Amino acid sequence: MAKRVRVRAPELTGKGGWINTGGKELGLAELRGRITIVDFWTFCCVNCLHVLDELRELEDKHRDTVVVIGVHSPKFMHEAEHGAVVDAVERYGVEHPVLDDPELATWKQYAVRAWPTLVVIDPEGYVVAQHAGEGHVHAIERLVTELEAEHEAKGTLRRGDGPYVAPEPEPTVLRFPGKALLLPSGNFLVSDTTRHQLVELEGDGETVVRRIGSGTRAFVDGAADSAAFNEPQGLALLPDGSVVVADTVNHALRRFDLESGRTTTLAGTGRQWMQGDPTSGPAREVNLSSPWDVAWWGGKVWIAMAGIHQLWAYDPADRTVSRTAGTSNEGLVDGPGVEAWFAQPSGLAATPERLWLADSETSALRWVDRDGAVHTAVGTGLFDFGHRDGAAEQALLQHPLGVTALPDGSVAISDTYNHALRRYDPATGEVTTLATDLREPSDAVLAGDDIVVVESARHRLTRLRLPEEAVRVDAVAHRTQRAATEVAPGKLQLDVIFQAPAGQKLDTRYGPSTRLLVSATPPELLLAGEGADTDLSRPLELNPEVAEGVLHVSAMAASCDDDPANEYPACHVHQQDWGVPVRLAQGGADRLPLVLAGMDGEADAQTP
């Protein structure tokens, strides 16, 4: 076996402390002898949620040799609150220890540049691999198998139970509900996301009429007690009286029949859409990616496809799905639908002339017109957020997940991480605050003269009278806590590091197997190097007249099993989008390495 490059792993430290350990503090000494996978994540990030799901099978299969450690590294201010991290760990079914690192101390020690990032530490405490983005678990499992054999032979592998301690379950009627729908009967249908069910409540919003779904994380059609969902979210009433459900982690649209209580599948295969997959076709044959909300508009079901930053639509007439807007690049770009950029669209609301959407990662309220063009009402980009009312051009939101059309033509915004209900009036261009002291509101529905808010982190529906006057709040503005990288003005060498997993090679049978797309905010930051090409290394030229900005880098590499005898080798696509805040400074770095998979050969390394 070739000698593996190793780097001594930095200690795991975080001011917020440990979750899922029964109160015990952990360090690398306690993990010695185990293969440790460190997952740098933040709970706003849908790609991070994808990785949590990818890791479940690996955790179960290698439970006696592998310990997964989550390091929560916040982007938004709200994510730096310890209680919010504790909630997120339960909300997303995280069954391994999590270090709350609100000041990004461990993030900086490991030189992480993207959410999510996975780092593999061997039983002797050395980093042996790093992967950014999702879709890497197959490569990590192969490495784990090698490490098990290698360290079993050396006598340095320690088997046994890991440090995970499960929390006590809480007896609430709902548990982190996601979305709600007012039914024709006057009852409410709620997606009880963490319990993998739908719940019908009476008009009081509290009394349970029935539960739909077994409560087990699975993908099963059938009667109310046997059907199964996986973290369902959005709900929309169809013209035939049934309900379409965004079954988020099953990457599917489901149909719930209110009369019979049966659930069937409308769209999706249960597999996550990956680059190269079809973007249209028969609905049951096309992969989807984390559909978060749905709305009936223009004779179709529109889908907020949070997992790939796009809008799709399901056409019930011919039972097909197709992409309607978004390039899959993450950001805020308006224009024709096929050219627009989104960032985790998570809430939809339809009016006759507009489809409104909450674009969560850009903290933006946006809308689609009848011609399919995308517009932004509130929001500026990935790294600016806060709670500020006033003219829409300067107003700020913080990771909104829901939007609700109001009778006067304005819209209410479930401003999730500000714990507020906001209002945008297209007639005046003004943003105001309707209510505060909510807890992670994720949706709201009209019920007569009231608005019923899904208070996700309080596990309940909260009924509010629509106020005639807005609530006044002190304005605050934030930028992500993530530190900007200091780079020299002028020439900057961009290197995306990709090493094919053991036993695989780059797939060049049909041409280049890599792709690199580079852009910047503001666009003036880049004098040269913008655009798409196949080489993963590229010289950039930064404008010395622009003091700071964000480099947007999207990289893709396809690798296949390296076995000449195998006519149909298994292939995998590795992809990651980086938004790298940069500050131009004399003496700054002249090279920007971004690790997609492997180790940076130009970094300091030890080979003991």
Side-chain angles (χ1 to χ4, degrees):
M1 182 180 297
K3 204 164 190 179
R4 186 176 287 112
V5 174
R6 307 194 301 173
V7 178
R8 176 64 72 179
E11 189 54 82
L12 303 172
T13 58
K15 190 175 181 180
W18 289 89
I19 303 165
N20 279 355
T21 63
K24 182 180 179 181
E25 296 288 314
L26 295 181
L28 289 179
E30 287 81 9
L31 301 172
R32 189 64 59 86
R34 309 297 293 271
I35 301 163
T36 303
I37 300 172
V38 183
D39 175 19
F40 289 88
W41 69 299
T42 188
F43 64 77
C44 71
C45 161
V46 71
N47 308 92
C48 300
L49 304 185
H50 290 166
V51 168
L52 288 176
D53 292 316
E54 291 176 357
L55 287 170
R56 295 184 201 280
E57 186 176 344
L58 184 147
E59 288 182 87
D60 186 59
K61 185 175 178 180
H62 298 270
R63 192 166 295 277
D64 66 333
T65 60
V66 170
V67 175
V68 176
I69 299 291
V71 176
H72 188 269
S73 311
K75 171 186 173 182
F76 290 97
M77 291 297 294
H78 171 58
E79 293 176 304
E81 298 175 15
H82 183 69
V85 182
V86 173
D87 282 349
V89 167
E90 181 189 351
R91 180 195 299 268
Y92 297 115
V94 180
E95 295 184 354
H96 52 248
V98 173
L99 174 63
D100 180 13
D101 183 18
E103 297 176 346
L104 304 182
T106 297
W107 165 288
K108 294 170 186 173
Q109 286 295 310
Y110 280 79
V112 174
R113 295 185 183 274
W115 296 278
T117 291
L118 295 169
V119 175
V120 182
I121 302 174
D122 72 12
E124 295 178 291
Y126 288 89
V127 173
V128 293
Q130 181 171 327
H131 301 264
E134 51 187 291
H136 297 292
V137 170
H138 70 281
I140 291 175
E141 181 164 17
R142 183 171 295 194
L143 175 58
V144 163
T145 302
E146 291 180 3
L147 291 171
E148 285 174 338
E150 178 183 333
H151 288 273
E152 189 90 78
K154 291 174 67 175
T156 51
L157 184 68
R158 176 169 58 89
R159 296 180 180 269
D161 293 333
Y164 168 68
V165 178
E168 290 293 324
E170 296 286 343
T172 53
V173 172
L174 302 172
R175 203 69 192 161
F176 298 105
K179 305 288 185 181
L181 176 67
L182 181 65
L183 298 175
S185 65
N187 289 349
F188 295 97
L189 189 66
V190 184
S191 53
D192 198 15
T193 304
T194 297
R195 292 199 177 122
H196 315 296
Q197 293 180 320
L198 309 180
V199 180
E200 185 176 349
L201 302 174
E202 290 184 3
D204 61 9
E206 298 178 1
T207 306
V208 176
V209 176
R210 57 177 168 170
R211 291 184 177 273
I212 300 96
S214 64
T216 301
R217 185 191 293 271
F219 188 5
V220 180
D221 287 342
D225 59 349
S226 59
F229 302 90
N230 196 342
E231 297 183 23
Q233 287 282 350
L235 307 165
L237 197 65
L238 297 178
D240 66 3
S242 65
V243 175
V244 59
V245 182
D247 194 6
T248 304
V249 181
N250 277 329
H251 310 295
L253 296 190
R254 315 291 292 282
R255 177 184 180 273
F256 171 58
D257 189 300
L258 288 166
E259 291 190 10
S260 69
R262 293 191 64 82
T263 296
T264 52
T265 299
L266 291 179
T269 64
R271 295 183 299 276
Q272 182 185 337
W273 187 96
M274 302 296 285
Q275 285 291 342
D277 287 353
T279 55
S280 64
R284 293 291 302 275
E285 298 175 16
V286 176
N287 298 336
L288 309 181
S289 182
S290 296
W292 210 274
D293 203 6
V294 282
W296 179 258
W297 191 57
K300 296 180 181 180
V301 176
W302 284 66
I303 310 162
M305 202 76 82
I308 46 176
H309 319 298
Q310 294 179 344
L311 299 180
W312 285 39
Y314 166 75
D315 188 342
D318 57 10
R319 298 180 182 179
T320 59
V321 290
S322 60
R323 182 187 62 149
T324 54
T327 64
S328 82
N329 293 314
E330 185 178 16
L332 194 154
V333 177
D334 290 340
V338 294
E339 299 175 8
W341 290 25
F342 301 99
Q344 287 178 220
S346 301
L348 298 174
T351 65
E353 298 304 319
R354 296 183 179 185
L355 180 72
W356 293 96
L357 65 110
D359 204 27
S360 62
E361 278 293 287
T362 53
S363 298
L365 172 68
R366 306 177 73 184
W367 53 280
V368 181
D369 64 27
R370 279 294 188 180
D371 295 326
V374 178
H375 310 262
T376 297
V378 182
T380 59
L382 285 166
F383 298 103
D384 295 296
F385 54 90
H387 191 156
R388 187 164 64 200
D389 287 337
E393 309 85 66
Q394 56 85 51
L396 294 171
L397 311 170
Q398 187 178 181
H399 198 80
L401 289 177
V403 60
T404 308
L406 300 179
D408 64 356
S410 65
V411 291
I413 307 156
S414 295
D415 194 6
T416 309
Y417 289 1
N418 279 327
H419 311 300
L421 191 68
R422 313 284 294 281
R423 175 178 178 265
Y424 169 70
D425 186 349
T428 64
E430 292 287 312
V431 175
T432 52
T433 298
L434 297 176
T436 58
D437 194 31
L438 302 168
R439 187 67 186 172
E440 292 192 16
S442 55
D443 195 21
V445 292
L446 288 174
D449 293 331
D450 297 337
I451 190 164
V452 177
V453 180
V454 180
E455 271 198 278
S456 187
R458 283 198 178 116
H459 320 292
R460 69 187 188 190
L461 302 187
T462 298
R463 184 181 292 266
L464 304 172
R465 180 56 56 99
L466 277 172
E468 295 180 5
E469 295 183 4
V471 176
R472 291 194 176 275
V473 297
D474 293 331
V476 291
H478 300 294
R479 295 210 85 205
T480 179
Q481 292 190 78
R482 180 180 172 188
T485 299
E486 288 201 347
V487 295
K491 302 296 184 182
L492 176 69
Q493 179 63 34
L494 172 64
D495 291 327
V496 173
I497 313 302
F498 178 76
Q499 297 161 3
Q504 294 189 0
K505 65 178 181 179
L506 287 174
D507 178 22
T508 56
R509 292 171 298 165
Y510 307 107
S513 60
T514 56
R515 181 175 182 270
L516 180 64
L517 176 66
V518 179
S519 62
T521 303
E524 298 78 27
L525 174 63
L526 272 179
L527 294 177
E530 184 180 11
D533 206 341
T534 58
D535 195 337
L536 292 181
S537 292
R538 184 183 304 179
L540 309 180
E541 185 174 355
L542 304 184
N543 187 347
E545 301 299 320
V546 179
E548 61 180 5
V550 179
L551 289 175
H552 303 283
V553 180
S554 179
M556 185 273 289
S559 63
C560 296
D561 290 343
D562 187 10
D563 182 358
N566 186 355
E567 187 178 355
Y568 302 104
C571 297
H572 304 274
V573 175
H574 313 258
Q575 182 177 10
Q576 172 63 8
D577 295 335
W578 290 269
V580 183
V582 295
R583 182 180 301 112
L584 274 61
Q586 295 297 331
D590 60 4
R591 177 175 179 263
L592 178 62
L594 301 175
V595 177
L596 178 59
M599 300 283 283
D600 181 10
E602 294 190 28
D604 292 334
Q606 304 173 33
T607 54

